[in-house]
């Protein structure tokens, strides 16, 4: 007899995870593999990527590590090609790679602004294009945006906030293009405050100021974000598309 819990499984599916060398990407890769997926892992730092691959292999699932810079469209296509060749299919894409930047707007150069958009907004689009061409009906894309798309934490983050807000627009448009025609759902998660490589310096200095404004009374853990990503990637979310799911312990309700 089938159980509702089966809907959260990804057995027989192949998932691509970008930004899998640290932070959320490692937790997401582990969670998808625990749910039964084979995973293709991308990021620039090959040594750390290999560590994530070895963790997945140790859990009994197949995995490939593909050093990739998502700001390069050709590299995104090559990443998807390797996933297809090595693992046989593509069912899920998690667009998690991202860079943080805090530069006062009056001082930010065109190059600095563009560099953030290239990774955080264009990168997910190139990955989605390449992956969607390979996916069949039942596929799912999850974009990792941020609560910075809908509010401010008081940092000078024009490029970051714009890129993450743009990712919400991208999510909605790809959902309307691909859900009906191709059977591919596209959703976004908006994480709040989590301690990872990206935020560790800020955490040490500023987290205590934020704490009274987080109803949950703590920062999130990468495993909590990964569980939400798994939900949206799985058939448990089969009737959800074009949506944004905030994962922030309540930070944005205050
Ligand atoms: P992280 O540990 O710094 O991870 C960022 C990942 O993105 C790394 O694996 C990095 O790998 C990869 N990456 C960066 N530039 C890349 C590029 N050009 N090509 C391919 N991969 C690239 O930070 P994180 O917190 O886990 O961030 C993951 C995602 O969550 C990001 O999109 C971030 O904006 C978002 N987010 C985080 C928080 C938070 O509180 N931590 C909150 C909201 C949203 P390489 O350096 O090896 O390439």
């Amino acid at each position: 007899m089938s159980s509702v819990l089966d809907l959260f499984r990804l057995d027989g599916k192949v998932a691509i995870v970008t930004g899998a060398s640290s932070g959320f990407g490692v937790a997401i890769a582990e969670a998808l593999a625990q749910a039964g997926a084979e995973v293709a892992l991308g990021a620039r730092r090959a040594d750390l990527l290999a560590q994530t691959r070895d963790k997945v292999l140790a859990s009994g699932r197949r995995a490939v590590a593909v050093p990739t810079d998502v700001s390069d469209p050709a590299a995104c296509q090559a990443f998807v090609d390797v996933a297809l060749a090595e693992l046989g299919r593509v069912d899920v894409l998690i667009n998690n790679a991202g860079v943080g930047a805090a530069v006062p707007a009056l001082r930010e150069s065109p190059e600095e602004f563009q560099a953030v958009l290239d990774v955080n907004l264009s990168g997910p689009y190139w990955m989605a294009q390449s992956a969607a061409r390979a996916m069949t009906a039942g596929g799912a894309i999850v974009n990792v945006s941020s609560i910075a798309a809908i509010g401010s934490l008081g940092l000078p983050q024009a490029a970051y906030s714009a890129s993450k807000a743009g990712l919400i627009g991208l999510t909605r448009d790809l959902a309307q293009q691909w859900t009906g025609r191709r059977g591919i759902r596209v959703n976004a998660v908006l994480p709040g405050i989590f301690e990872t490589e990206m935020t560790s310096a800020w955490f040490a200095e500023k987290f205590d100021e934020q704490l009274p404004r987080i109803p949950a009374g703590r920062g999130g853990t990468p495993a909590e974000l990964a569980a939400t990503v798994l939900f949206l990637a799985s058939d448990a979310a089969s009737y959800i598309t074009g949506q944004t799911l905030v994962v922030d312990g309540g930070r944005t309700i205050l």
Side-chain angles (χ1 to χ4, degrees):
M1 197 176 71
S2 69
S3 146
V4 68
L5 292 179
D6 296 336
L7 296 174
F8 293 83
R9 303 262 345 149
L10 297 176
D11 301 294
K13 295 192 172 178
V14 171
I16 293 176
V17 182
T18 70
S21 60
S22 63
F24 290 160
V26 178
I28 290 168
E30 289 182 303
L32 300 186
Q34 281 173 29
E38 324 279 4
V39 290
L41 308 161
R44 293 164 304 174
R45 290 170 295 176
D47 50 340
L48 293 178
L49 207 54
Q51 289 178 19
T52 311
R53 180 199 57 207
D54 292 346
K55 279 185 189 164
V56 172
L57 291 174
S59 75
R61 301 292 165 197
R62 288 196 297 162
V64 286
V66 189
T68 303
D69 182 339
V70 298
S71 66
D72 174 359
C76 293
Q77 184 62 54
F79 181 15
V80 173
D81 289 345
V82 172
L84 256 183
E86 299 282 323
L87 301 175
R89 51 188 293 137
V90 175
D91 303 281
V92 168
L93 166 65
I94 313 300
N95 268 321
N96 165 72
V99 286
V103 184
L106 294 180
R107 295 209 298 267
E108 188 160 38
S109 70
E111 292 76 18
E112 285 172 318
F113 185 79
Q114 190 60 48
V116 175
L117 263 70
D118 284 348
V119 177
N120 292 6
L121 180 57
S122 302
Y125 190 34
W126 314 140
M127 285 301 306
Q129 284 186 329
S130 298
R133 291 183 191 121
M135 283 177 178
T136 52
I141 297 174
V142 181
N143 295 321
V144 180
S145 174
S146 167
I147 60 168
I150 56 172
S152 172
L153 293 176
L155 293 169
Q157 287 198 299
Y160 186 77
S161 300
S163 70
K164 293 299 188 180
L167 197 48
I168 295 177
L170 191 73
T171 299
R172 291 182 177 141
D173 196 80
L174 296 182
Q176 71 84 15
Q177 290 192 52
W178 292 344
T179 303
R181 281 191 207 119
R182 301 186 64 94
I184 299 169
R185 295 181 300 101
V186 188
N187 290 291
V189 289
L190 277 62
I193 300 173
F194 292 70
E195 188 164 9
T196 63
E197 199 174 288
M198 183 182 285
T199 56
S200 60
W202 176 88
F203 240 85
E205 259 184 54
K206 298 277 185 189
F207 179 68
D208 286 351
E209 288 173 19
Q210 287 292 326
L211 199 49
R213 301 189 60 192
I214 305 174
R218 60 178 176 81
T221 66
E224 289 175 307
L225 198 271
T228 310
V229 168
L230 168 61
F231 164 61
L232 288 173
S234 74
D235 287 346
S238 56
Y239 203 51
I240 301 177
T241 193
Q243 301 305 308
T244 56
L245 186 42
V246 176
V247 187
D248 71 346
R251 171 65 180 75
T252 48
I253 62 175
L254 293 186

